[in-house]
Amino acid sequence: MGVSTSRPEAGIAVVTVDFPPVNAVPVRGWYELAEAVRAAGADPAVRCAVLAAAGRGFNAGVDLKEIQRGPGHRALIGANQGCAAAFAAVYDCEVPVVAAVRGFCLGGGIGLVGNADAVVAAEDATFGLPELDRGALGAATHLARLVPQHLLRTLYYTSRTVTAWELHRHGSVWRVVPPDELLPAALELAREIAAKDGSLIRLAKAALNGIDPVDVRRGYRFEQGFTFEAALSGVADRHREAFVSRTSRPSGPSGPSGPSGLSGPSGLSRKSATDHEEEP
């Protein structure tokens, strides 16, 4: 359990997140992830990194129960800073990062995937920001890298999810594959990237980041200010407590591993991200 790094073949590092049961990442986990991604990029033998996850889904965001348990705002500040560090580590990684996504990708998962260089997704993957239902604001900066502006706003205001096929149609997902083919497909893309000259691939990453029209670090930190404002006003705590109370009860089949609402090659899920997420 935690964050681990493997080297399945020359030039490729696979960073795997594993926080059962649903990869709701605690504060320390975000920092561990940031360090693992930075280390992979700093290794001169690595020319591409793959970001993957074990278990039922890619990422369910922050561990809201940890935030509710902690006194004052210490855990909230830790989660804010840890997420910012992990998202920045993916974006600033010296080599390209391929995100391999299956199942639910919610909240902080959008921050990771939105900052990745390429995305390969399983057919069961769904993406969304349930922030308004959790008393938070954030990662719209990263969702904006995955979908057009008006779809971004619709997803954000409604907490609905979007399918992997829909993101593929928008060009933000490279390939959609059956779940059991996800890691091989991600490794296939990573292998093609890693075949390039290591020095040139690092220069290419720096060049592409340098011409990016949006400063993702500044945008996300700006959003986090509103999250903290919601916390100080008390509205965030009410929504988090309601969520924690609900998920403390035994969950039914409509948790993160349940149906995504719509099947087929594209379309918004009729279920909101709230229906998918379940934190430990």
Side-chain angles (χ1 to χ4, degrees):
M1 188 175 77
V3 178
S4 61
T5 302
S6 61
R7 304 284 201 282
E9 54 190 86
I12 300 173
V14 177
V15 177
T16 303
V17 177
D18 185 12
F19 289 96
V22 294
N23 283 322
V25 182
V27 170
R28 66 174 176 82
W30 293 107
Y31 286 105
E32 290 175 7
L33 176 56
E35 178 56 33
V37 173
R38 283 195 294 263
D43 185 343
V46 173
R47 295 184 294 281
C48 186
V50 174
L51 180 58
R56 294 164 55 186
F58 180 76
N59 193 288
V62 303
D63 184 349
L64 293 183
K65 292 184 180 180
E66 179 185 40
I67 292 177
Q68 289 302 93
R69 285 193 303 265
H73 297 300
R74 174 181 291 184
L76 175 62
I77 293 172
N80 277 2
Q81 294 177 341
C83 284
F87 301 169
V90 172
Y91 185 78
D92 293 327
C93 183
E94 295 180 36
V95 299
V97 177
V98 176
V101 183
R102 66 155 298 171
F104 45 89
C105 177
L106 303 171
I110 295 294
L112 299 171
V113 170
N115 271 2
D117 295 275
V119 184
V120 177
E123 293 170 335
D124 65 352
T126 55
F127 304 76
L129 289 177
E131 312 308 277
L132 292 184
D133 293 333
R134 302 291 181 269
L137 295 161
T141 297
H142 310 93
L143 185 58
R145 299 167 68 82
L146 300 173
V147 299
Q149 182 63 217
H150 286 85
L151 179 55
L152 156 70
R153 289 171 179 257
T154 300
L155 293 172
Y156 202 80
Y157 295 148
T158 63
S159 296
R160 285 176 177 252
T161 56
V162 67
T163 67
W165 282 113
E166 177 72 0
L167 292 191
H168 182 265
R169 188 171 71 83
H170 289 299
S172 49
V173 166
W174 173 249
R175 285 182 64 190
V176 180
V177 298
D180 61 352
E181 297 177 18
L182 177 61
L183 187 57
L187 288 173
E188 180 182 349
L189 177 57
R191 191 177 303 117
E192 187 174 351
I193 294 171
K196 307 300 182 184
D197 182 277
S199 296
L200 286 177
I201 205 69
R202 283 172 164 76
L203 289 174
K205 176 69 181 274
L208 290 175
N209 280 7
I211 63 171
D212 205 323
V214 175
D215 185 335
V216 293
R217 298 183 227 41
R218 185 184 66 82
Y220 181 56
R221 292 300 275 173
F222 179 81
E223 290 183 79
Q224 285 186 317
F226 290 97
T227 294
F228 202 68
E229 183 176 324
L232 293 177
S233 72
V235 65
D237 190 67
R238 291 197 299 273
H239 285 279
R240 284 198 302 268
E241 185 59 40
F243 171 75
V244 168
S245 297
R246 179 174 66 82
T247 57
S248 293
R249 300 191 296 268
S251 61
S254 62
S257 60
S260 61
L262 278 184
S263 60
S266 65
L268 300 184
S269 170
R270 293 189 181 93
K271 293 189 176 186
S272 72
T274 304
D275 297 312
H276 292 264
E277 191 173 13
E278 171 190 320
E279 304 201 16

